[in-house]
Amino acid sequence: MAAASAFAITPHKVSVCVLLQMYALPTQATPPFSSVSQHNRLGLYILSLTKSYDDILEPKLEDLISQLREIGGSLGPWLIDHLTSRVSSLSSPDDLFTFFSEMRGILGGSDSVVIEDNQVILDPNSILGMFLRRCVLAFNVLSFEGVCHLLTNIGIYCKEVLSNCMPYELHRLDGSSNDLESLSECENMDLENFVFGKVNEEIEERKEATERVSFHLHATQAICGLVEDVEVVTDPRSKHHDKGTEDCPHVHRPGTESQDVDPYGEVFLRTNWQVQGYLTEQADAIEKHGGSVSFNTFELILRQIKKLAPELHRVHYLHYLNSLYHDDYFAAVENLHCYFDYSAGIEGFDFVPPSGSNNSARYEIALLCLGMMHFYFGHPKQALLVLTEAVRISQVQSNDSCLAYTLAAICNLSSEIGSSITAGILGTSYSPVTSMGSSVSVAQQLFVLLKESLKRAESLKLKRLVASNHLAMAKFDLMHVQRPLLSFGPKASMRLKTCPVNVCKELRLCSHLISEFASETSTVATDGAFSTAWLKNLTKPMGSLVLTQENESGENFHALQFCAQSSSIPRSVLQILGSSYLLRASAWETYGSAPLARINALVYATCFTDSSSSSDTALVHAKLIQHLAAFQGYKEAFSALKVAEERFLSVSRSVLLVLKLQLLHERALHRAHLKLAQQVCDELGVLASSVMGVDMELKREASLRHARTLLAAKQFSEAAAVAHSLFCMCYKFNMQVENATILLLLAEIHKKSGNAVLGLPYALASLSFCQSFNLDLLKASATLTLAELWLSLGSNHAKRALTLIHGALPMILGHGGLELRARARIAESKCYLSDPSYSDFLCGFIFSLVFEDSEVVLDPLRQASDELQVLEYHELAAEGFYLMAIIFDKLGKLEEREEAAASFKKHVMALENPQDEDPLLNLL
């Protein structure tokens, strides 16, 4: 068994050397390569074999044969025949010595080598040249016993494949122009003489030693064959994760093609470079797919990696990530401690160690990871204590990079929690705002920390951290009003408003990362990713067609092949860029531009889902579904939600589950189904429970929905009490944008309770918040509510209300949803009908309408009624049809009047008798 840290010569590496010999000496090929592109494809395939990291184990000979069939085209059978016959002919130490002596001849730099026509000379410093030199060196240092053991493994490597694949190859070559004589010679070989007659004995011994292994687990059979003296019991929890593993290509599952392969032969790890790339890829897969990866399957794989290569301490880190994303707190803590105990945090981190420091003393990095783990599990106080200690240790150790990352983590923690948690580090020797004392607000503390973190990241040229800090600054500018740090002295006049220009500036600066990532690109992440993707595409139909077309031009081949490969941009860079578009979508959603919010969400969903985590991808799907519900109704939204739920597993606190409850609650209120609305509120209350960790956004959403349910039930005093309590909570935790919505809800409560005068101050306060935070669409909604309040005070205020509505109408019609547009149109019609300039009084409305003027009122009412029927908003639709029926009656249009009256009656009946058997009840 080869150690992961050493480069040992193995049967697979011998096969690659044979392929290199065929590539470098094309004149010896019979038949020769038919085109340059065919020759280049073989070279690209050999390069991919040396760089890919799709597994930790070297591939079997049958895997090489399958891949050669794909890349070789018409020459594939000859390549397979030459490879198998050449490897199987190595039956003695002298054969191996002669083989590796010949391999030296294809390396450049040797004057004694006679160069043949069309021979390819490998640069000794190239990737393939370095690989060949290492193979020759590894063979030269072998003892005689080592050479004999290599021959034994080569016999095991060839035996099963040659006995099974030759009849298939003969069938493939039937009627072709290839040389059948060489195939017959290989088929009739006496394979028992390959390795001094010991192959069968060694196979039997290994078979007896592994009889007790269970193969019922979802793991690679090659890995399962390595378990010795262990009875593996399948954990029942794995059944709950099978669905996730079907969609996760990074979790290895047994293939049917490997069932006939002898699992008892010796297995070999790939090079240390490839194993590290594999572990890095698995870490990215866990972070991306989260809990959808089968816990038991991946744990089994990690245990076998630890057994094969105990010196690879990064396996402990993958154990930690697997436990973290499956919410196993104790296992996560234990594995994180093990990782830093064994490796001192050296493997897998990009921190530049300070000059003169001891690499084993990485205590500050361990504290940073522990703090982020506490933050993930919802322990903000413990996270702050640990991160504060990380700041102190980083200063003592002069680890500026770790200090910069720790400051960024503290900023993230402070912005997410929203309370004065930074008091633990303010006032220390580090703090840049020590002299300001308690006069500094929470937002100002966060602003100073963000600036300090950005300054440090720029000075250390940590480009990814700089981009992340620009994102944090954009989020801060989006949610906070800039105020001066000093609270004394003459106060100059200033406008207390957020600055959207600063938000766009920070987001644009973040996007500059795309042009600067090259200097930080890891060769493991780029070369290995391309090679791994190239080999995986061989098994896909499109990849097979692209590679086997002999007559296509080289330009088209490279263009198509490039499209099939993964991006060369590092995943961390794509994640940050994707986050910038996600924040852009949120910013435009906050400012009220629905088209721009939708466009940025679509850009994210189109370009960045492959590199983003499942939670972020689910979030952007939720934004698009919310847009569907607002502009096309609940039928389209629930259809899209069903598709999204099939793609993402709905865990207890999933964003899709919250979205489903929000849509169900909105629809229940529109249909006056208060029982269902209350059930949904209870579900949201359970999700917002502090037992699972406090989520302030979810807690606010649950309270807001509860207040709206009480309002729909006409329990005005209870609804006002809940809204007031919610306002106090949001004010305490500095959630100012949310306060604008709550103030608008209080105005709505007083309007529907008949106390329009009490509702006016709340509407005006909400308008003030909207102006301060540039909430344009919410400002238009608040203006509409203010107009409705003025209209409730009497017909004398109809002109003032109409002026307010006309001022907000462009924003509402351009960016508002179906409900907001319908409300505005009905309110506009009521203003026209209530104007004292009309002469005839009827039922509280004044009518003096001639036929040509009636469309001014009727057209908005028709549009509003159509939109409200899409939403099934019975109360407001009944009001619209009622007004239409009165107008048609006054105009003498009896047929239209009866039609409007029938629609009015239908909606009133739906309000009075809501359907108890709603099919959407099954969604709860």
Side-chain angles (χ1 to χ4, degrees):
M1 187 179 300
S5 59
F7 188 93
I9 190 68
T10 62
H12 169 70
K13 294 185 179 69
V14 173
S15 296
V16 176
C17 289
V18 172
L19 292 174
L20 265 175
Q21 193 176 42
M22 286 189 284
Y23 171 75
L25 299 173
T27 56
Q28 295 182 359
T30 304
F33 293 101
S34 59
S35 64
V36 175
S37 62
Q38 195 178 55
H39 186 233
N40 290 340
R41 285 201 292 273
L42 178 61
L44 182 59
Y45 171 64
I46 299 171
L47 181 64
S48 298
L49 286 178
T50 63
K51 305 293 286 185
S52 64
Y53 47 71
D54 54 319
D55 200 351
I56 62 168
L57 301 179
E58 291 184 341
K60 302 292 185 182
L61 182 57
E62 71 167 5
D63 299 326
L64 298 186
I65 291 174
S66 299
Q67 292 167 354
L68 284 173
R69 288 196 190 104
E70 295 292 337
I71 71 159
S74 60
L75 197 62
W78 181 88
L79 292 173
I80 295 170
D81 171 40
H82 192 83
L83 172 65
T84 53
S85 61
R86 186 72 178 95
V87 175
S88 61
S89 66
L90 300 174
S91 58
S92 69
D94 289 339
D95 293 336
L96 284 174
F97 180 79
T98 303
F99 173 74
F100 282 103
S101 297
E102 294 173 355
M103 295 306 298
R104 294 193 189 97
I106 64 177
L107 283 173
S110 177
D111 298 333
S112 61
V113 176
V114 179
I115 300 178
E116 303 179 12
D117 294 338
N118 298 327
Q119 179 176 349
V120 177
I121 299 298
L122 296 181
D123 184 356
N125 295 321
S126 66
I127 295 176
L128 293 180
M130 289 288 293
F131 175 82
L132 185 55
R133 288 166 58 194
R134 295 181 73 185
C135 288
V136 173
L137 178 61
F139 175 76
N140 289 339
V141 299
L142 284 179
S143 63
F144 180 76
E145 291 79 5
V147 174
C148 294
H149 189 64
L150 175 61
L151 287 171
T152 302
N153 290 323
I154 290 176
I156 299 172
Y157 180 73
C158 298
K159 179 180 176 63
E160 190 73 22
V161 173
L162 288 177
S163 61
N164 290 333
C165 86
M166 294 311 298
Y168 174 76
E169 291 300 323
L170 285 173
H171 176 73
R172 285 283 305 269
L173 294 172
D174 187 24
S176 67
S177 59
N178 288 287
D179 187 9
L180 299 179
E181 221 173 275
S182 59
L183 296 177
S184 301
E185 183 180 346
C186 291
E187 186 180 14
N188 295 325
M189 278 184 176
D190 186 8
L191 298 177
E192 297 299 324
N193 295 325
F194 275 164
V195 202
F196 313 114
K198 296 184 179 180
V199 173
N200 290 333
E201 297 178 9
E202 187 162 343
I203 292 176
E204 291 300 325
E205 291 176 0
R206 290 173 182 170
K207 190 172 183 178
E208 292 175 1
T210 54
E211 282 179 340
R212 289 172 291 176
V213 179
S214 173
F215 295 97
H216 300 290
L217 299 177
H218 299 293
T220 322
Q221 287 193 359
I223 290 180
C224 291
L226 302 171
V227 186
E228 298 179 0
D229 301 326
V230 177
E231 291 291 345
V232 182
V233 180
T234 305
D235 194 327
R237 289 182 299 173
S238 63
K239 296 179 181 179
H240 301 290
H241 300 286
D242 286 345
K243 184 178 179 180
T245 55
E246 291 175 3
D247 297 329
C248 182
H250 302 280
V251 176
H252 295 281
R253 301 176 68 88
T256 56
E257 69 275 4
S258 63
Q259 290 178 358
D260 297 330
V261 178
D262 182 9
Y264 305 106
E266 185 169 2
V267 293
F268 302 93
L269 286 177
R270 299 193 180 192
T271 63
N272 186 55
W273 187 92
Q274 290 174 299
V275 174
Q276 291 289 355
Y278 171 84
L279 294 177
T280 302
E281 185 186 40
Q282 298 308 306
D284 290 342
I286 295 175
E287 291 176 348
K288 177 181 178 180
H289 298 283
S292 63
V293 177
S294 174
F295 179 84
N296 294 320
T297 299
F298 197 68
E299 282 294 309
L300 177 64
I301 295 174
L302 292 178
R303 284 199 296 269
Q304 304 318 311
I305 296 175
K306 190 187 300 183
K307 182 179 180 66
L308 281 171
E311 68 276 8
L312 291 177
H313 305 304
R314 187 164 173 77
V315 174
H316 293 292
Y317 187 72
L318 269 72
H319 275 297
Y320 157 70
L321 287 178
N322 199 26
S323 303
L324 181 73
Y325 285 101
H326 285 89
D327 298 326
D328 191 340
Y329 172 76
F330 297 103
V333 172
E334 179 183 358
N335 286 296
L336 185 63
H337 287 173
C338 287
Y339 172 65
F340 282 96
D341 287 343
Y342 284 103
S343 71
I346 296 176
E347 292 182 10
F349 285 92
D350 296 328
F351 294 131
V352 179
S355 58
S357 65
N358 185 3
N359 283 341
S360 63
R362 309 303 291 275
Y363 181 47
E364 62 272 20
I365 302 177
L367 289 172
L368 174 59
C369 291
L370 184 62
M372 295 307 297
M373 186 202 71
H374 280 299
F375 180 43
Y376 178 86
F377 281 110
H379 309 151
K381 292 183 178 179
Q382 294 91 326
L384 179 63
L385 289 175
V386 174
L387 292 175
T388 304
E389 181 66 11
V391 169
R392 187 184 68 82
I393 298 298
S394 298
Q395 289 179 300
V396 172
Q397 298 291 337
S398 300
N399 194 338
D400 293 331
S401 298
C402 185
L403 180 59
Y405 279 95
T406 306
L407 286 176
I410 292 175
C411 292
N412 186 34
L413 180 62
S414 179
S415 62
E416 290 292 333
I417 300 302
S419 59
S420 184
I421 61 169
T422 55
I425 61 170
L426 294 176
T428 63
S429 59
Y430 155 73
S431 173
V433 290
T434 302
S435 59
M436 298 183 184
S438 59
S439 63
V440 181
S441 67
V442 176
Q444 290 166 335
Q445 292 176 15
L446 178 58
F447 179 75
V448 172
L449 286 174
L450 283 171
K451 284 292 186 182
E452 181 68 17
S453 178
L454 180 59
K455 180 180 177 181
R456 284 183 176 272
E458 288 176 340
S459 64
L460 296 170
K461 297 182 179 179
L462 302 173
K463 295 182 176 63
R464 290 173 174 83
L465 186 58
V466 170
S468 297
N469 281 328
H470 280 304
L471 278 180
M473 287 296 299
K475 187 177 180 180
F476 179 87
D477 290 332
L478 178 64
M479 296 297 180
H480 295 87
V481 174
Q482 297 272 344
R483 289 184 173 87
L485 289 176
L486 300 178
S487 58
F488 57 88
K491 296 183 178 179
S493 60
M494 60 179 296
R495 298 178 65 190
L496 296 179
K497 295 186 68 174
T498 59
C499 187
V501 175
N502 288 344
V503 176
C504 295
K505 177 183 175 182
E506 296 292 345
L507 290 173
R508 186 175 294 273
L509 288 173
C510 172
S511 299
H512 289 172
L513 178 67
I514 192 69
S515 61
E516 300 176 353
F517 75 93
S519 60
E520 293 188 7
T521 301
S522 169
T523 56
V524 176
T526 53
D527 295 348
F530 267 97
S531 299
T532 303
W534 194 87
L535 289 177
K536 287 181 179 179
N537 285 331
L538 291 179
T539 59
K540 298 179 180 179
M542 186 184 73
S544 176
L545 289 174
V546 169
L547 290 171
T548 56
Q549 288 177 356
E550 300 293 337
N551 298 324
E552 62 181 332
S553 65
E555 181 180 355
N556 292 336
F557 166 76
H558 290 297
L560 289 171
Q561 193 58 24
F562 176 78
C563 294
Q565 300 301 322
S566 60
S567 173
S568 62
I569 304 174
R571 180 176 177 268
S572 59
V573 174
L574 289 175
Q575 254 187 329
I576 295 174
L577 292 176
S579 298
S580 70
Y581 278 95
L582 194 57
L583 185 56
R584 280 186 175 95
S586 299
W588 288 119
E589 188 178 314
T590 301
Y591 292 143
S593 179
L596 288 175
R598 182 172 60 90
I599 287 173
N600 283 280
L602 286 173
V603 169
Y604 181 94
T606 304
C607 302
F608 298 102
T609 52
D610 290 338
S611 59
S612 302
S613 64
S614 298
S615 58
D616 286 346
T617 307
L619 176 60
V620 80
H621 278 75
K623 288 182 179 296
L624 293 172
I625 292 171
Q626 284 177 326
H627 186 274
L628 279 177
F631 289 88
Q632 297 186 30
Y634 298 111
K635 182 178 180 180
E636 297 291 335
F638 279 112
S639 298
L641 180 62
K642 182 179 180 181
V643 174
E645 284 182 324
E646 292 174 355
R647 179 175 179 181
F648 305 99
L649 294 177
S650 296
V651 294
S652 59
R653 299 168 69 85
S654 168
V655 63
L656 292 179
L657 177 58
V658 175
L659 173 64
K660 180 168 70 174
L661 294 176
Q662 289 174 336
L663 295 180
L664 284 172
H665 186 262
E666 289 287 343
R667 185 174 181 274
L669 290 183
H670 287 166
R671 293 166 57 90
H673 198 162
L674 299 183
K675 181 180 179 181
L676 175 59
Q678 186 58 49
Q679 290 179 6
V680 173
C681 285
D682 294 339
E683 292 288 338
L684 282 171
V686 172
L687 291 179
S689 172
S690 58
V691 175
M692 298 294 293
V694 179
D695 187 336
M696 297 305 301
E697 191 68 26
L698 193 54
K699 188 174 182 180
R700 179 199 66 84
E701 183 68 21
S703 299
L704 186 64
R705 298 283 170 178
H706 181 48
R708 292 187 58 191
T709 305
L710 292 173
L711 174 61
K714 302 186 184 305
Q715 300 179 17
F716 303 115
S717 58
E718 293 84 351
V722 173
H724 185 268
S725 175
L726 180 58
F727 177 85
C728 295
M729 183 194 75
C730 291
Y731 185 83
K732 176 182 177 181
F733 290 98
N734 203 31
M735 302 168 69
Q736 303 300 337
V737 175
E738 288 78 4
N739 275 338
T741 305
I742 299 168
L743 288 170
L744 195 57
L745 175 62
L746 285 167
E748 190 76 19
I749 292 172
H750 287 293
K751 182 189 76 173
K752 291 192 174 182
S753 65
N755 297 318
V757 175
L758 295 179
L760 287 174
Y762 291 107
L764 292 172
S766 178
L767 274 175
S768 178
F769 272 96
C770 293
Q771 290 174 352
S772 297
F773 292 94
N774 293 283
L775 312 176
D776 293 340
L777 186 59
L778 190 60
K779 177 185 174 182
S781 180
T783 303
L784 176 60
T785 300
L786 184 62
E788 292 172 339
L789 288 169
W790 281 116
L791 193 59
S792 300
L793 293 176
S795 59
N796 292 331
H797 301 283
K799 285 188 176 181
R800 177 183 295 179
L802 188 61
T803 302
L804 289 172
I805 292 173
H806 283 169
L809 210 54
M811 186 68 191
I812 292 175
L813 296 181
H815 300 274
L818 295 176
E819 180 183 351
L820 187 58
R821 294 203 300 257
R823 276 184 57 202
R825 288 182 172 121
I826 289 177
E828 182 188 20
S829 299
K830 290 169 67 175
C831 288
Y832 282 125
L833 298 176
S834 301
D835 195 326
S837 61
Y838 295 104
S839 58
D840 190 16
F841 180 84
L842 177 63
C843 295
F845 296 106
I846 305 296
F847 293 96
S848 172
L849 297 174
V850 293
F851 181 78
E852 56 269 17
D853 296 331
S854 62
E855 291 301 319
V856 176
V857 181
L858 286 174
D859 187 59
L861 288 175
R862 289 193 188 99
Q863 295 182 42
S865 300
D866 292 341
E867 292 168 343
L868 292 170
Q869 289 188 96
V870 172
L871 291 175
E872 300 178 271
Y873 195 167
H874 296 312
E875 181 181 1
L876 208 55
E879 184 177 0
F881 282 114
Y882 172 75
L883 294 176
M884 290 172 62
I886 292 179
I887 296 173
F888 283 131
D889 180 69
K890 193 69 177 179
L891 294 174
K893 297 182 177 182
L894 301 182
E895 184 178 350
E896 290 85 347
R897 182 197 65 183
E898 293 302 322
E899 183 179 350
S903 299
F904 167 73
K905 181 179 179 181
K906 182 184 71 173
H907 287 286
V908 170
M909 293 291 293
L911 277 174
E912 295 176 351
N913 303 295
Q915 296 180 4
D916 292 330
E917 297 182 359
D918 193 339
L920 291 180
L921 280 172
N922 298 326
L923 296 176
L924 280 176

